Amino acid sequence: SFIRYLVYSLQFYLLLLAFNIELQIIDGFMVVFLIFFGFTIVPSIAVAELGIRAIITLLIFKIIGQYTDTSYEMSLVSTTSLLWFINISLPALIGGIFIFNLRFIRKNDFTEDHKEEEA
């Protein structure tokens, strides 16, 4: 769990830097901790999860006193959205594609096996 948390935190911090949100590494990891803590304590449903994540991120940055103009807010929302896409949406999509290739018990399979037993 700790390694997973470190990987997600590092991803988030690197995405913040990629979107020109300058934070010292210690400050960045503390902010990421607060954001992840906010994600954890606020209940959400899958449909609204991305929006709630963006709102929590904007709220945390406003609380810590970072200047938030429109381009800064768009960078924060983009960072949060990209992290969500990389770690949640993309693996779910790939898993959904592979799940269709699995062979489940189907009615046709059962009837073919039953015909072989009768013969």
Side-chain angles (χ1 to χ4, degrees):
S1 294
F2 183 71
I3 292 172
R4 189 178 103 186
Y5 171 75
L6 283 178
V7 168
Y8 289 166
S9 297
L10 184 62
Q11 284 178 340
F12 204 130
Y13 180 72
L14 291 175
L15 284 173
L16 287 171
L17 293 178
F19 281 98
N20 296 324
I21 299 171
E22 298 295 326
L23 291 170
Q24 297 296 325
I25 192 160
I26 299 298
D27 296 337
F29 274 91
M30 287 192 303
V31 167
V32 168
F33 167 77
L34 290 173
I35 291 170
F36 284 159
F37 183 70
F39 294 166
T40 303
I41 63 173
V42 174
S44 66
I45 57 173
V47 175
E49 185 174 335
L50 187 57
I52 290 172
R53 287 176 176 258
I55 290 170
I56 290 171
T57 302
L58 291 173
L59 182 65
I60 296 295
F61 272 87
K62 285 184 181 183
I63 288 172
I64 64 170
Q66 290 283 18
Y67 180 70
T68 54
D69 62 0
T70 305
S71 64
Y72 196 81
E73 289 177 353
M74 289 303 295
S75 294
L76 289 173
V77 170
S78 298
T79 300
T80 304
S81 301
L82 187 57
L83 187 72
W84 176 84
F85 180 76
I86 291 170
N87 291 317
I88 297 173
S89 181
L90 189 61
L93 182 65
I94 292 170
I97 291 170
F98 282 115
I99 198 82
F100 287 116
N101 292 333
L102 293 177
R103 184 177 176 159
F104 293 103
I105 298 174
R106 296 183 184 113
K107 186 176 181 179
N108 292 342
D109 294 339
F110 179 72
T111 56
E112 289 174 10
D113 291 339
H114 187 62
K115 288 179 184 176
E116 289 175 6
E117 289 177 1
E118 290 179 356

